[in-house]
Amino acid sequence: MTLRQWTSSFLIAASMGLSLAQAHAGPAHVKAENGWVRASVPGQQATGAFVRLTAEESLRLVGVESPVAGVAEVHEMKMEGDVMRMRAIEGLDLPKGQAVELKPGGYHLMLQQLKSPVLKDSKVPLTLVFKDAKGETSRLSLELPARAMAPAGGHGGHAGHSH
Ligand SMILES: [Cu+2]
């Protein structure tokens, strides 16, 4: 092998190594299942999105973005006295390999300042933003179907709550 050949194979190997490293820092290593968005009616300002997330490494869900909403947040539902309230949280821990369910009545993604009604059977683009232990950000883009109600056994998560 000449020096020139050696150099070029070294460069190829180096660039392959680099692209592998970049791939790891790119899309989040999170499995998203059973995702859906609650369809809204005209005039409704906000709706919820729900999904089951399983992270391949311990991550924290720190945000959500969607072109259909002016503001999108990660929310939790909590009893305050005897009233169920929801509020934005800074992050939701996703322990490695453990499914975390975002569902009506529990943690959910809140889409606020809706730009137009979320029509039943339409697809809603959402991007989830995660941070790992080192503070590195990764993203997962999803298209979730809009449904009038939960796929099975759901109950009205947002009825009676306002923002
Ligand atoms: Cu909410």
Side-chain angles (χ1 to χ4, degrees):
M1 195 187 259
T2 67
L3 178 62
R4 193 190 173 87
Q5 282 170 327
W6 184 87
T7 305
S8 66
S9 58
F10 173 79
L11 285 175
I12 289 165
S15 67
M16 281 171 69
L18 187 64
S19 67
L20 283 174
Q22 284 170 338
H24 187 77
H29 293 193
V30 178
K31 189 166 65 170
E33 299 167 296
N34 298 353
W36 65 286
V37 179
R38 188 187 301 280
S40 69
V41 295
Q44 193 178 331
Q45 294 294 305
T47 192
F50 314 95
V51 64
R52 182 198 294 149
L53 298 173
T54 310
E56 288 171 30
E57 54 180 330
S58 288
L59 289 174
R60 196 167 161 82
L61 174 65
V62 294
V64 54
E65 299 160 356
S66 176
V68 306
V71 173
E73 296 172 332
V74 183
H75 274 195
E76 69 173 356
M77 303 279 281
K78 236 187 179 170
M79 290 302 286
E80 275 177 24
D82 52 5
V83 184
M84 186 71 122
R85 290 189 192 279
M86 61 175 158
R87 64 184 185 100
I89 54 174
E90 282 181 14
L92 174 61
D93 285 323
L94 305 175
K96 178 180 175 173
Q98 203 174 302
V100 174
E101 194 100 32
L102 284 78
K103 58 175 190 253
Y107 294 111
H108 56 276
L109 306 168
M110 198 77 200
L111 306 178
Q112 293 159 240
Q113 298 176 17
L114 292 176
K115 293 172 184 168
S116 58
V118 175
L119 300 176
K120 186 173 170 284
D121 300 326
S122 66
K123 294 271 189 187
V124 180
L126 279 180
T127 300
L128 303 180
V129 186
F130 304 93
K131 263 200 170 117
D132 68 11
K134 286 175 275 173
E136 270 203 50
T137 302
S138 55
R139 285 175 149 75
L140 180 68
S141 291
L142 302 171
E143 281 218 322
L144 302 184
R147 296 207 178 100
M149 57 179 65
H155 48 88
H158 285 86
H161 296 272
S162 62
H163 282 270

